[in-house]
Amino acid sequence: MEALSPLQSRAAAAALLTVFVLGFALALVLRSWRVVRRTGINPVVLPNSDDAAGYVGRGFRLVLVCTALWVVLVAASPATAGRLGLFAPVPLGPLALLGWPIVAAALALMWAAQEQMGASGRVGIDRKRATALVTGGLFGRSRNPIFLAMRALMVGLVLLVPAAPTLALLVAAEILIQVQVRLEEAHLSALHGGAYDDYRAQVRRWWGRHVTPASTQP
């Protein structure tokens, strides 16, 4: 159990579970419910089609379920989780303590970005209904603040639970996010045309604003 520091007590593991459950409930479930209530449209549009979008959608569902099960296992039996194979024989030490603020900041970023998306918020690509292009607030600093928050969340989880399953979930999530972001960029470019191209020329994919033409930077 030493390598699972700072989750050295069941209370700390239970706190992690609570943070994840409440965080996802607020950032995903509650936000989706509010969009449905406001517009009558279900913002969760992860397809099951036999194309790239469908493949990524199924992958996201799988990673979400596996992450939830892993966090539940860690909270229910930290010792069992520790025996499943630690990937780092060297203790993370003080670095592990960064997990909590990273997780908290990621959930806050996710919530704020979802709020700023408003009725345009979608989980997946909505090919049936056009959505407004959101470029203000956090989206004036990052074209993908929600995905950025998801990436940070997984990094925080790895620091809190430095185990082989956590690292595998991080790698899987990172691959899926990178593919999904590019699918969404193609969709938004086709939907909004020059307006999205101008936006992409000003704001970077992950964080910051361009100082040189977007053709030379992602």
Side-chain angles (χ1 to χ4, degrees):
M1 188 57 197
E2 293 180 359
L4 283 179
S5 176
L7 298 184
Q8 293 182 340
S9 70
R10 186 160 304 216
L16 176 63
L17 176 61
T18 301
V19 166
F20 265 73
V21 170
L22 290 179
F24 274 108
L26 290 174
L28 182 60
V29 179
L30 180 59
R31 274 294 309 152
S32 297
W33 175 78
R34 290 176 64 182
V35 170
V36 171
R37 185 179 180 185
R38 182 188 308 175
T39 67
I41 298 172
N42 183 2
V44 181
V45 286
L46 292 174
N48 284 310
S49 52
D50 190 27
D51 56 9
Y55 179 84
V56 173
R58 290 188 293 274
F60 270 123
R61 292 190 191 92
L62 180 61
V63 168
L64 181 59
V65 169
C66 290
T67 301
L69 291 175
W70 175 234
V71 172
V72 168
L73 175 61
V74 169
S77 180
T80 300
R83 287 194 296 268
L84 287 181
L86 302 175
F87 72 82
V90 179
L92 295 179
L95 184 62
L97 297 177
L98 293 175
W100 288 112
I102 289 175
V103 166
L107 291 173
L109 175 60
M110 189 182 300
W111 168 257
Q114 290 276 16
E115 281 289 298
Q116 293 176 11
M117 282 287 286
S120 294
R122 294 292 187 273
V123 180
I125 299 174
D126 192 345
R127 302 188 187 279
K128 296 181 179 179
R129 305 174 186 87
T131 55
L133 180 62
V134 179
T135 61
L138 288 168
F139 292 87
R141 302 300 300 176
S142 170
R143 300 205 306 268
N144 301 280
I146 297 173
F147 284 123
L148 178 61
M150 293 174 62
R151 298 174 75 196
L153 188 65
M154 296 306 296
V155 170
L157 181 58
V158 167
L159 292 177
L160 289 172
V161 190
T166 326
L167 181 61
L169 289 168
L170 169 66
V171 172
E174 180 67 17
I175 292 172
L176 291 170
I177 287 172
Q178 293 291 345
V179 174
Q180 179 68 16
V181 161
R182 286 158 175 79
L183 291 174
E184 292 191 6
E185 288 175 348
H187 170 72
L188 291 172
S189 181
L191 179 63
H192 296 288
Y196 182 74
D197 293 337
D198 291 342
Y199 171 57
R200 183 163 52 184
Q202 299 173 28
V203 181
R204 293 177 181 273
R205 178 177 288 143
W206 296 116
W207 192 262
R209 300 182 67 86
H210 284 303
V211 293
T212 57
S215 59
T216 63
Q217 300 185 38

